[in-house]
Amino acid sequence: MKIALVLFSVFLVVSLLMYLLLTIYSAKKRITNRVKEFLPTSQVEEAAIQKEKKLSFGKQLIHSTANIFKNVQFSDSTEKILREAGSGLKPEEFFALRILAAVGMGMFTAFLGLPWYLTLLAVFIGFAFPKYSMKRKRKKRLARVNHQLVEVLGMMANSMRAGFSFMQAMQLVGKELPDPLGPEFDRVVRQAGLGVSLEDTFQELVERLPNKEMEVVVRAILAQRRSGGNLAQLLETMEETIRGRVRILEELNTLTAQGRMSSWIITLLPVGLGLYLALVNREYFAPMLEHPLGWTMMFVASVSIIIGWAIIQKIIRIEV
């Protein structure tokens, strides 16, 4: 009963803090929109610069912690994840965020008076969650590429039929579309304007947005520029092809939704039940943590859960 009251109090405090933060954020956003509406552009830019100088406490803490790891060489995979997710964080800042999240989770569980192994588990979760969240962000960002690519090809084909050049059509895409393809195409146009060859800029684009459809479109455009032909008609053909692939992918996602949900439920149900028993009835669950037979049973159960999750993921993963 005491633990339930403590958890309820923590939940109430966190909810109140979240409400206050969201209220402050919405008020600041409303003020910023009104300032942008009435002030000239130069004054708005100057106000934005002043705002960036006054960083929030959280950003200052992350920046100060990141200075400790400034000279540390991070792996290429971390930089690749941040780049593909469209994040503005540097590798050392991202690592500092993971460290702070782990420390925060550990302090929170220690404040609740939970056992040491739950504190250790909370530290591990706090360290791993930012990377998991960044991977989810990267996955969603790359998933938007297919839907935007259909719109990009149609817009470029119509623009070129209306008399635009290829670079002008790309510049139009960079101005009109949101992230991820809008800023990426705008970057390609700016690099080409600085004298970088179009082959190199497109190759960098494929590296920043690793997508099969994008790679096919880039190769087709580069082949057409070398051999000649009707580029507008080629873009329309690729638009129809990619639209069909997107429709098939959406149908597959619908058909495999039940399997994906089952994999998460089957995987997390034993873990959640074990945590519930450890918190509610410590004496009942103690043999699983203190007796060698309990350790063996938990090890076998963990291996079985991982094997079952891997098999389900293999079944529902269908390559198109």
Side-chain angles (χ1 to χ4, degrees):
M1 186 64 182
K2 184 178 178 181
I3 296 177
L5 290 176
V6 172
L7 292 176
F8 177 77
S9 302
V10 172
F11 174 78
L12 190 62
V13 172
V14 171
S15 302
L16 182 60
L17 289 176
M18 290 295 295
Y19 173 77
L20 293 176
L21 289 175
L22 291 175
T23 305
I24 295 173
Y25 174 76
S26 61
K28 288 184 177 180
K29 187 175 182 181
R30 187 164 55 250
I31 293 173
T32 303
N33 292 334
R34 290 183 63 84
V35 169
K36 288 182 179 180
E37 182 179 356
F38 291 104
L39 289 182
T41 306
S42 59
Q43 296 183 18
V44 173
E45 293 176 354
E46 184 178 354
I49 293 174
Q50 294 296 330
K51 183 179 180 180
E52 290 179 357
K53 291 181 179 179
K54 298 179 180 179
L55 297 176
S56 62
F57 174 75
K59 291 183 179 180
Q60 288 180 355
L61 184 60
I62 293 175
H63 184 70
S64 302
T65 310
N67 290 332
I68 303 175
F69 310 101
K70 191 172 184 180
N71 297 324
V72 177
Q73 184 66 31
F74 293 92
S75 62
D76 295 336
S77 60
T78 302
E79 298 181 1
K80 187 172 182 292
I81 291 174
L82 295 175
R83 181 174 63 250
E84 293 176 0
S87 175
L89 293 175
K90 299 178 181 178
E92 58 270 17
E93 293 176 346
F94 181 61
F95 185 74
L97 176 63
R98 299 180 68 185
I99 293 292
L100 293 174
V103 173
M105 289 291 292
M107 294 177 62
F108 178 73
T109 52
F111 173 76
L112 294 178
L114 299 179
W116 65 270
Y117 51 86
L118 293 180
T119 302
L120 187 62
L121 178 62
V123 170
F124 175 76
I125 293 175
F127 185 77
F129 181 75
K131 188 172 184 178
Y132 170 77
S133 178
M134 192 63 66
K135 286 183 177 180
R136 290 280 299 177
K137 182 179 179 181
R138 177 188 64 173
K139 184 178 179 180
K140 291 181 180 180
R141 185 171 184 263
L142 295 180
R144 291 198 302 268
V145 172
N146 287 338
H147 298 277
Q148 285 191 339
L149 195 56
V150 176
E151 186 177 354
V152 165
L153 295 174
M155 184 182 300
M156 291 182 65
N158 294 333
S159 300
M160 295 184 69
R161 289 189 182 278
F164 282 48
S165 65
F166 177 70
M167 296 305 297
Q168 288 176 334
M170 289 186 60
Q171 189 175 11
L172 178 64
V173 170
K175 291 181 179 179
E176 296 295 332
L177 287 185
D179 185 74
L181 287 187
E184 292 294 341
F185 270 69
D186 185 61
R187 182 174 180 176
V188 169
V189 172
R190 286 188 281 107
Q191 288 180 338
L194 294 174
V196 184
S197 64
L198 198 60
E199 288 79 6
D200 294 338
T201 57
F202 273 131
Q203 183 62 36
E204 293 180 2
L205 174 63
V206 174
E207 292 177 357
R208 293 192 300 270
L209 296 176
N211 182 274
K212 293 181 180 179
E213 285 74 17
M214 175 64 72
E215 186 175 355
V216 170
V217 170
V218 167
R219 289 181 179 180
I221 291 175
L222 294 178
Q224 189 278 337
R225 290 181 66 85
R226 288 192 295 266
S227 60
N230 191 341
L231 182 56
Q233 184 177 359
L234 175 63
L235 294 176
E236 289 180 347
T237 303
M238 289 190 295
E239 177 190 0
E240 295 176 359
T241 303
I242 295 176
R243 191 186 300 275
R245 285 178 58 87
V246 170
R247 185 178 65 254
I248 293 175
L249 287 174
E250 291 178 347
E251 292 177 356
L252 286 176
N253 288 333
T254 303
L255 294 175
T256 58
Q258 182 179 358
R260 292 196 305 270
M261 183 62 67
S262 300
S263 67
W264 284 108
I265 293 176
I266 294 174
T267 303
L268 296 179
L269 186 60
V271 179
L273 182 60
L275 292 176
Y276 174 78
L277 291 176
L279 292 174
V280 175
N281 196 339
R282 181 71 173 80
E283 293 78 10
Y284 180 79
F285 196 73
M288 296 294 294
L289 303 175
E290 299 173 356
H291 197 276
L293 180 59
W295 299 343
T296 305
M297 294 175 64
M298 290 189 66
F299 176 76
V300 173
S302 301
V303 173
S304 301
I305 289 173
I306 294 174
I307 293 175
W309 182 83
I311 292 175
I312 294 176
Q313 293 297 319
K314 186 69 175 179
I315 293 173
I316 64 177
R317 186 178 293 111
I318 302 174
E319 295 291 338
V320 179

